[in-house]
Amino acid sequence: MYILIGGAGLVGLNLAQKLVELGHTVAVIDIEPKACRYAREQVGAMAFEGSAVSTEVLLEAGIRKADALAAMLRSDALNLAMVTLAKHYGVPHIVTRMRHTDFAEPFRVAGANHTIGTVELAVSTMVNAIEYPQVESMMHFEQGQIEVLKLSIPNNCYVANRSLAEIAQDSRFPTGSLIIGYQAHPHEDLTIPNGSTVLEPGSTILVVTKPGSLHQVIDFMEGCK
């Protein structure tokens, strides 16, 4: 894909790096010459010096042929302008960074397909790391309405050596939660489990649940026999 990124700050450059590594063609727009030079020489992206909300610069950077655009500028107002212009030029997939939640609806109306609240995401991640240290990782979807967490199965926990069918039938298993991934050993691939899958001690699972059920899921999964 041809992907356009507005802003060559820390987030923009790291995003560009990851996308280049994945094999995409990436172009970065920034007003700072040094940032553009770094994007070209160190990241392997194309870079256009100028304002990411200038129609001339956007057209020069190839916005009409862009498959996706990420607005990673220093303010919500600038990102909103870039999202609006991207929509105007027909970019099919638009992602933006959001600093203040007041901009969530304006971004949606302007045409953003995905809005990432960076401050809220960072704070939420740190809170989860403090509150749930046993959770290896956690992902948030739909502005935090859904959580997917990665948990290890300790040797003496209640669910060790039980099948998913047994676990699902237990009245203590939180309603609306679902085990969607299973990894028997760290060197094995993650698989999609079924009712007959037995959770071995030392294995890893992915669980999808609602934020309000996090404590219940963790307590149930890690409860001792």
Side-chain angles (χ1 to χ4, degrees), residues 167-186:
I167 294 169
Q169 290 168 8
D170 193 305
S171 60
R172 293 172 295 173
F173 187 65
T175 304
S177 301
L178 190 66
I179 298 174
I180 60 171
Y182 180 67
Q183 187 178 28
H185 301 287

Side-chain angles (χ1 to χ4, degrees), residues 45-56:
M46 292 183 286
F48 295 85
E49 188 180 330
S51 170
V53 295
S54 161
T55 53
E56 290 184 2

Side-chain angles (χ1 to χ4, degrees), residues 131-143:
E131 195 170 21
Y132 309 110
Q134 65 273 64
V135 176
E136 294 185 23
S137 62
M138 190 179 297
M139 295 171 283
H140 315 271
F141 297 92
E142 295 300 318
Q143 285 75 52

Side-chain angles (χ1 to χ4, degrees), residues 8-169:
L10 183 62
V11 176
L13 287 173
N14 274 277
L15 176 61
Q17 181 72 61
K18 293 295 183 184
L19 292 170
V20 168
E21 289 172 0
L22 289 170
H24 298 292
T25 301
V26 179
V28 174
I29 301 174
D30 199 277
I31 59 174
E32 291 292 336
K34 289 182 179 179
C36 290
R37 184 164 61 250
Y38 184 90
R40 294 188 198 101
E41 297 176 359
Q42 303 299 321
V43 177
M46 292 183 286
F48 295 85
E49 188 180 330
S51 170
V53 295
S54 161
T55 53
E56 290 184 2
V57 176
L58 288 169
L59 289 170
E60 181 187 359
I63 193 170
R64 292 188 187 277
K65 66 178 182 180
D67 299 293
L69 177 142
M72 300 290 156
L73 300 169
R74 64 182 179 275
S75 74
D76 286 328
L78 287 172
N79 284 329
L80 182 60
M82 191 176 191
V83 167
T84 303
L85 289 168
K87 186 68 174 179
H88 170 72
Y89 285 114
V91 179
H93 194 69
I94 304 169
V95 179
T96 183
R97 176 170 67 170
M98 177 179 68
R99 296 178 184 273
H100 300 289
T101 55
D102 290 347
F103 278 79
E105 184 62 12
F107 279 134
R108 186 193 66 79
V109 172
N113 302 102
H114 293 282
T115 299
I116 312 299
T118 51
V119 174
E120 284 191 328
L121 183 60
V123 170
S124 178
T125 300
M126 285 186 277
V127 167
N128 287 330
I130 294 168
E131 195 170 21
Y132 309 110
Q134 65 273 64
V135 176
E136 294 185 23
S137 62
M138 190 179 297
M139 295 171 283
H140 315 271
F141 297 92
E142 295 300 318
Q143 285 75 52
Q145 296 179 58
I146 294 290
E147 307 279 6
V148 177
L149 52 149
K150 184 178 181 182
L151 279 171
S152 293
I153 306 298
N155 292 337
N156 63 341
C157 73
Y158 174 74
V159 299
N161 297 311
R162 292 180 181 269
S163 70
L164 291 197
E166 291 179 90
I167 294 169
Q169 290 168 8

